[in-house]
Amino acid sequence: MRDNLTASDIKKMQEEMERRIMVDRPEILERVKEARAQGDLSENFEYYAAKRAKNQNESRIRYLDKMIKTANVIDDSSNDDEVGINNTVTVLNLKSNQERVYKIVTTIRADSLHGLISIESPMGKSLLKHKVGDTVHIKVNDTIEYDVKILNIDKSTDDSEDAIRQF
């Protein structure tokens, strides 16, 4: 399945990949070389730690490259009065009467513990294209569903501080 990503997501992944190739890789290879020169590898913790860092870096480079090559690039624009990608939305849960603030993001940036809700999640899908004052029905599964009312949409938020998710 191809991930839906914005041009900004792709740019961030390309920047990370370039840094990992041009900066991190040479530094890590130097650490491997220095640790190897210390002699007996059977009890050389520094060597194994450096090799592990090298393998993790190479794995992340492959992951980013695959994500970039297979991404479905989507438009992140939306009408001024409706919920779109990178918008911060304040909703009122009509059952619990609790207000919550969420930012609607692509899956590569999702982090529900920090209020970053994916456009692929039940809530993200349901909120997209709705307006302030709309009551939105969110169905999580066959047993969990609820209604929220959109209280505010902040379109001024950007994605420059949003981290690209690790594996």
Side-chain angles (χ1 to χ4, degrees), residues 1 3 16 19-20 37 59 77 88 92 94 106-107 114 118 120 139 148 156 164:
M1 180 178 153
D3 284 289
E16 180 183 345
R19 177 188 51 81
R20 285 180 173 277
S59 178
S77 63
T88 300
L92 175 67
L94 297 177
T106 55
T107 55
H114 294 98
S118 166
E120 302 296 327
K139 183 174 182 173
V148 297
S156 67
I164 297 296

Side-chain angles (χ1 to χ4, degrees), residues 76-125:
D76 61 354
S77 63
S78 61
N79 292 337
D80 290 340
D81 62 345
E82 65 186 22
V83 177
I85 299 172
N86 294 324
N87 295 165
T88 300
V89 183
T90 305
V91 298
L92 175 67
N93 183 315
L94 297 177
K95 186 174 185 177
S96 68
N97 205 33
Q98 290 185 331
E99 279 188 31
R100 299 279 187 206
V101 177
Y102 301 106
K103 184 174 179 184
I104 309 300
V105 297
T106 55
T107 55
I108 197 83
R109 295 173 191 251
D111 183 354
S112 59
L113 295 177
H114 294 98
L116 301 174
I117 305 299
S118 166
I119 58 174
E120 302 296 327
S121 69
M123 179 176 283
K125 282 181 189 177

